[in-house]
Amino acid sequence: MTRGNPERKQRANGVESRRRILDAAVEISGERGYEGTSIAAVSAKCGLPASSIYWHFKDKDDLIAAVIERSFETWLAAVELPGDEAGTPLERVTAMAANVARSLAATPEFLRLGLMLALERRPKEPQGRTVFLQVRGIAHQRTGDMLRTLFPELDEDAVRTLTTYAIAGADGLFVHQEINADAGDLVEMFELHARLVHDAAARLTAGS
């Protein structure tokens, strides 16, 4: 009988342990926020000793940063403008907005944790806040690129203005949904927001 590769098994176990730790950290931080999240609480939730958590992550701040990064990767996959075959520019941008909303509903910890950290001011900036601001920069760039693709006649000032408006509006809709769980369907709200951004871009293009 052929024995399994011990090194491969150990690597697989390490990947699984990391996933369990991150899943537990997502749940804990979603319930308690940054301050209420602790290594002890994550350890109790995932069933792994604290030593295993510290093997993967330097400290709580490193763990929270990893939570934001992982959920951002999932979310960023949704920030992709469908190709020309998907329909008109309005249909394409609306479809992208709906995908973003579904992704946020499935993995809200990126924006929930990130916004909390971004709004706080601490003597020592948490790593999670730094990571969040960096990945928001990527989202900002993608949104601007989407506007440039759909409306090549827009000047850069208009692109910056519309990008800021689009992201700020998305933040507001997310926060409103977090505060009022019965506020309405997030996908529908994001689709409406996308139509308004599209209409504003069209008007600016016509007036240029």
Side-chain angles (χ1 to χ4, degrees):
M1 183 173 65
T2 304
R3 293 180 180 274
N5 186 320
E7 183 179 348
R8 183 181 298 171
K9 184 176 181 181
Q10 184 177 12
R11 190 162 56 244
N13 288 341
V15 170
E16 174 62 18
S17 294
R18 180 183 172 87
R19 184 194 64 77
R20 286 172 58 187
I21 293 165
L22 284 172
D23 286 348
V26 165
E27 191 168 342
I28 295 292
S29 61
E31 294 171 353
R32 308 181 188 180
Y34 180 84
E35 292 296 345
T37 302
S38 67
I39 296 296
V42 173
S43 173
K45 183 62 126 178
C46 70
L48 293 169
S51 58
S52 293
I53 299 174
Y54 284 117
W55 190 84
H56 288 282
F57 306 99
K58 181 176 64 176
D59 51 25
K60 181 182 86 169
D61 196 27
D62 191 33
L63 174 57
I64 293 295
V67 166
I68 292 174
E69 283 181 311
R70 187 179 71 162
S71 61
F72 173 73
E73 289 168 4
T74 302
W75 179 81
L76 189 61
V79 188
E80 192 70 40
L81 187 67
D84 294 342
E85 69 282 356
T88 65
L90 177 57
E91 289 169 338
R92 292 166 67 195
V93 75
T94 303
M96 186 187 80
N99 288 336
V100 169
R102 292 187 189 100
S103 179
L104 284 175
T107 56
E109 56 276 358
F110 155 65
L111 203 49
R112 182 186 297 144
L113 272 174
L115 288 174
M116 285 191 292
L117 289 170
L119 291 170
E120 291 179 346
R121 294 291 184 269
R122 297 167 182 262
K124 181 181 179 183
E125 183 173 281
Q127 183 183 349
R129 185 177 190 274
T130 302
V131 168
F132 178 70
L133 294 178
Q134 288 172 345
V135 298
R136 271 180 78 82
I138 297 172
H140 195 279
Q141 181 63 46
R142 285 223 178 169
T143 303
D145 289 345
M146 177 268 294
L147 287 166
R148 294 182 188 96
T149 297
L150 294 178
F151 300 96
E153 301 88 353
L154 284 175
D155 62 38
E156 281 304 303
D157 284 343
V159 169
R160 280 192 294 271
T161 298
L162 286 170
T163 298
T164 299
Y165 172 73
I167 292 177
D171 286 345
L173 288 171
F174 176 81
V175 171
H176 185 68
Q177 185 79 12
E178 289 284 291
I179 296 171
N180 304 280
D182 58 349
D185 186 88
L186 190 63
V187 173
E188 290 181 1
M189 292 296 101
F190 265 68
E191 288 175 337
L192 173 60
H193 182 48
R195 289 194 291 270
L196 294 173
V197 172
H198 174 277
D199 291 350
R203 284 195 298 272
L204 286 172
T205 301
S208 61

